[in-house]
Amino acid sequence: FDPRHYLGTHCYRWPKTGPHRLRFLLESVKDLRETLKKKGSTLVVRKGKPEDVVCDLITQLGSVTAVVFHEEVREIL
């Protein structure tokens, strides 16, 4: 969970993630974790800036050979 997603938007400072969206996100992550657990896997959930959290996870795991990610598209007004 990136703390920056719970701050205001760039232009008008409206919340990027309101209470309903947050509840949906939390329920979705919980459901995904439970589904993975039934299949013998797990889900790593962390709070922090992804660029820091991913680096820390790679260091902790030590045997990472690849990292795949996507970048959020921002609209230019």
Side-chain angles (χ1 to χ4, degrees):
F1 291 92
D2 187 341
R4 296 172 291 195
H5 287 201
Y6 306 96
L7 303 174
T9 58
H10 299 291
C11 298
Y12 301 105
R13 306 306 297 162
W14 292 332
K16 285 180 87 174
T17 304
H20 299 293
R21 185 175 182 183
L22 178 59
R23 183 178 328 114
F24 173 77
L25 179 60
L26 292 172
E27 289 172 358
S28 298
V29 168
K30 180 180 177 185
D31 182 64
L32 177 58
R33 176 178 267 159
E34 290 171 2
T35 301
L36 289 170
K37 190 173 184 178
K38 289 176 187 174
K39 296 181 181 289
S41 190
T42 189
L43 177 67
V44 176
V45 179
R46 297 287 187 265
K47 176 184 171 190
K49 294 180 180 179
E51 57 270 25
D52 298 332
V53 172
V54 171
C55 185
D56 291 344
L57 281 173
I58 291 169
T59 302
Q60 288 174 10
L61 296 172
S63 61
V64 176
T65 57
V67 176
V68 179
F69 64 94
H70 78 276
E71 184 175 350
E72 181 179 359
V73 177
R74 293 188 181 189
E75 231 180 279
I76 299 176
L77 301 176

